[in-house]
Amino acid sequence: MNPIYLFFHKTGSPPWFYRFAGKLIPWLWAGFVVLTAIGLYLGLLRAPPDYQQGESVRIMYLHVPAAWLSMMIYGMMAVTGFIALVWRIRIMEVLTISSAPVGAAFTIIALVTGSLWGRPTWGTYWVWDARLTSELVLLFLYIGVIALYNAYDEPRKAARAAALMAIVGAVNLPIIHYSVMWWNTLHQGSSIGTSGSSIHPSMLWPLVFMAFAFKFYYGANLLSRARLKLLAQDHRKRWVQELLSGKEK
Amino acid sequence: MSHTPFILASYLISAFVLLWAALAPVLSKRKLVRQLKVRHTRAQRSDVSQQHMDKT
Amino acid sequence: MSQPALSTAFLALLRRDFLLAYRRRAELLQPLVFLLVVVTLFPLGVGPSPQLLAKIAPGVIWIAALLATVLSLDSLFRSDYEDGTLEQMVLSGQPLALIALARIVAHWLVAGLPIILLSPLLALWMNLPDAGVPVLIKSLAIGTPVLSLIGAIGGALTVSLKRGGQLLSLLVFPLYVPLLILATSAVSAAVSGLPYNGQLGLILAGMIAALTLAPFATAAALKLSLS
């Protein structure tokens, strides 16, 4: 058999995926812990305070990677959702809906850290700033996907509806992002931005490490959520029964 | 204004959200496995009793 | 048995939708009355100062139009779904996207078009300067089809759910954000004597994109709801 076809056939099989993900998860957690340790060391101890923002720039090492990842996870949901709808691969349905809570968590982190950064910098917790506003809209999109999934009784139908909503949202997401940015320049003068000026390497490295650390976290959390969903959906199938009786011994 | 409380709060809240999001599937999986095991053993027991009844 | 031509099927569906709409015209008036009531609440809420009303007029009128549209979206496919007509339409062999498009066009004609016709009155109430009124009408003319097109996807996704209405608004409002931004800024720009063709052009581009993509997404969602 064609090796590529074989690979898809295997990853499409729930028992194989369950075992494979189970082996992968500890490594992803390890990667997360190591990268976070390096990133926090560089960001909190080594990086100098910013000449404009002062010490509060250290919040950026959380805010920026979380904001990046929140957008990326939505894109991932659309990709896996598209595969799920077109080829009807169940693993992809499970991955799509398992991504949503993780993405929502990172969106919440981006919002909270953004407003905590805003208090010392702008003097207020909330400003209708372009990044914060589009993160807020993104949170609503995530909540919509999750709510749609929960509203259906049948899990597979629910996952496919959520996947379709994720695709529709992902098509709109760039438009929302750019229209909000444009709207923001229209309504207020420039505030202290984070982009534009070149970032000094001492501030860039912690950002890079934290960004990769969060991606490992996403991978680990996504797979453990997907495993849970598969177990719940397949609880009458033989592979789960064998797994359970195997664990009993 | 001192920035430290805001930095501290950001890191603590983020850690809390990440921890909660990571623990949620682990805890609910543990619960699910426990439920399934109970159902599993119950099913087996009824199987055994069924066989027993068949014999007698 | 030979299939009727696409245009025949499309027109037949439109005629049927109009007939149904005409028979329950009281129900169709509700979103429009809602629109008028919402706009009335703003002067009562923020005070009758003409300058303030003129400043917030584009936003208020557009938000009221969004709310009124979403209110009418829940019934877009529901009755057809509940009495099994939708299933028969799928079985008819005609492309589902075409059926969806006919339904969307009918929805716009009975829900979107009246908003445009009412908008001069709303502009008057909100004290919108004269320079803004033609642009408001233009922005509604090309913007309300986008509301119906994108809303239809949400309506199709929630049609098989018992309480789809609340979920529908949660799904659809974030998707309306760019349209709201562009349309209100076009009207505000016209009021302050600035060029506004860019915004209207972008809305038009969005409408064409939605017109080509939304019927297929709606068809996929309908198929999913019926499965």
Side-chain angles (χ1 to χ4, degrees):
Chain A
M1 209 191 280
N2 183 342
I4 296 171
Y5 185 78
L6 187 70
F7 175 76
F8 275 109
H9 188 72
K10 259 183 166 173
T11 42
S13 129
W16 188 88
F17 179 87
Y18 188 87
R19 239 172 289 133
F20 176 73
K23 276 182 205 147
L24 202 58
I25 287 171
W27 294 102
L28 291 171
W29 282 127
F32 167 68
V33 170
V34 171
L35 287 170
T36 310
I38 300 172
L40 288 182
Y41 168 71
L42 291 176
L44 293 179
L45 302 174
R46 295 296 296 272
D50 188 76
Y51 76 99
Q52 248 182 334
Q53 304 167 26
E55 293 287 344
S56 68
V57 73
R58 302 194 195 283
I59 297 177
M60 283 293 133
Y61 304 132
L62 286 176
H63 174 76
V64 175
W68 280 343
L69 198 58
S70 65
M71 304 258 174
M72 195 198 87
I73 293 177
Y74 205 91
M76 277 299 290
M77 268 169 60
V79 172
T80 53
F82 184 79
I83 298 172
L85 286 179
V86 173
W87 287 286
R88 295 180 170 261
I89 302 174
R90 191 155 62 98
I91 303 289
M92 289 295 166
E93 291 171 8
V94 169
L95 285 177
T96 306
I97 193 57
S98 303
S99 281
V102 194
F106 279 109
T107 314
I108 290 170
I109 290 178
L111 279 171
V112 170
T113 53
S115 78
L116 281 169
W117 178 82
R119 184 71 183 88
T121 320
W122 293 321
T124 169
Y125 282 109
W126 186 264
V127 167
W128 290 97
D129 151 76
R131 279 171 308 133
L132 286 180
T133 311
S134 59
E135 281 294 319
L136 188 63
V137 176
L138 183 65
L139 182 64
F140 292 148
L141 283 172
Y142 273 120
I143 293 173
V145 170
I146 296 169
L148 188 64
Y149 176 79
N150 289 334
Y152 279 92
D153 291 329
E154 201 213 320
R156 290 204 62 180
K157 199 173 164 182
R160 287 218 297 280
L164 189 63
M165 186 59 215
I167 295 169
V168 173
V171 171
N172 272 272
L173 194 57
I175 307 173
I176 294 172
H177 189 70
Y178 285 109
S179 66
V180 168
M181 296 227 294
W182 178 76
W183 161 82
N184 190 53
T185 55
L186 202 72
H187 285 274
Q188 60 185 52
S190 61
S191 47
I192 301 171
T194 45
S195 57
S197 57
S198 58
I199 306 173
H200 191 264
S202 67
M203 291 184 177
L204 181 67
W205 281 112
L207 217 56
V208 170
F209 274 104
M210 288 311 285
F212 277 102
F214 279 2
K215 287 189 176 68
F216 274 87
Y217 176 94
Y218 166 56
N221 201 340
L222 170 69
L223 290 182
S224 66
R225 279 169 193 275
R227 268 163 62 101
L228 170 68
K229 286 249 152 57
L230 279 180
L231 208 59
Q233 280 182 18
D234 277 5
H235 68 92
R236 285 180 203 285
K237 297 255 173 76
R238 195 200 271 170
W239 70 270
V240 177
Q241 301 289 338
E242 279 172 2
L243 200 78
L244 288 176
S245 53
K247 269 186 181 170
E248 272 177 340
K249 279 166 198 168
Chain B
M1 197 192 310
S2 168
H3 294 171
T4 324
F6 297 103
I7 300 170
L8 214 62
S10 308
Y11 278 84
L12 281 179
I13 292 172
S14 303
F16 177 76
V17 171
L18 288 182
L19 203 67
W20 178 72
L23 282 181
V26 175
L27 293 180
S28 39
K29 191 186 154 196
R30 203 172 284 172
K31 201 172 135 196
L32 179 74
V33 167
R34 205 179 300 138
Q35 279 175 351
L36 288 181
K37 267 184 189 166
V38 169
R39 210 181 290 172
H40 191 66
T41 45
R42 216 177 270 162
Q44 270 182 341
R45 228 176 263 154
S46 69
D47 276 358
V48 170
S49 57
Q50 205 83 51
Q51 283 168 358
H52 193 69
M53 296 232 303
D54 286 349
K55 271 180 198 165
T56 51
Chain C
M1 201 174 72
S2 68
Q3 289 276 332
L6 290 184
S7 53
T8 321
F10 187 79
L11 289 177
L13 281 168
L14 264 188
R15 262 195 58 196
R16 169 189 167 273
D17 284 337
F18 275 125
L19 196 64
L20 285 177
Y22 179 72
R23 285 188 186 147
R24 45 185 190 91
R25 46 193 179 276
E27 205 176 309
L28 287 171
L29 278 177
Q30 277 173 18
L32 297 175
V33 176
F34 176 79
L35 177 78
L36 294 177
V37 170
V38 168
V39 174
T40 314
L41 288 178
F42 274 89
L44 296 173
V46 301
S49 148
Q51 288 86 13
L52 179 64
L53 288 182
K55 196 160 186 286
I56 62 171
V60 168
I61 296 171
W62 257 97
I63 290 169
L66 291 190
L67 294 172
T69 309
V70 168
L71 203 65
S72 62
L73 276 175
D74 188 42
S75 59
L76 186 56
F77 295 109
R78 190 164 295 276
S79 61
D80 283 351
Y81 174 80
E82 279 168 356
D83 64 14
T85 317
L86 206 57
E87 216 157 335
Q88 293 303 316
M89 286 177 175
V90 173
L91 292 174
S92 73
Q94 295 290 345
L96 195 50
L98 186 88
I99 296 168
L101 185 63
R103 201 74 198 77
I104 293 166
V105 171
H107 175 262
W108 179 73
L109 286 172
V110 298
L113 199 58
I115 297 178
I116 303 171
L117 298 177
L118 277 178
S119 61
L121 176 68
L122 301 178
L124 188 73
W125 280 1
M126 290 302 292
N127 194 34
L128 185 72
D130 291 343
V133 178
V135 185
L136 176 71
I137 295 173
K138 275 185 216 164
S139 72
L140 282 168
I142 52 177
T144 45
V146 182
L147 296 181
S148 296
L149 284 161
I150 295 178
I153 305 172
L157 274 174
T158 53
V159 71
S160 62
L161 302 170
K162 276 192 203 80
R163 258 177 291 158
Q166 293 155 2
L167 187 58
L168 175 66
S169 51
L170 177 62
L171 295 180
V172 162
F173 279 135
L175 303 177
Y176 286 163
V177 166
L179 178 63
L180 180 67
I181 289 173
L182 288 170
T184 52
S185 91
V187 181
S188 302
V191 169
S192 14
L194 296 168
Y196 52 82
N197 282 333
Q199 288 92 310
L200 291 184
L202 284 172
I203 301 176
L204 195 64
M207 188 187 97
I208 293 165
L211 196 60
T212 46
L213 295 174
F216 293 99
T218 310
L222 283 177
K223 215 174 277 173
L224 207 148
S225 292
L226 286 169
S227 68

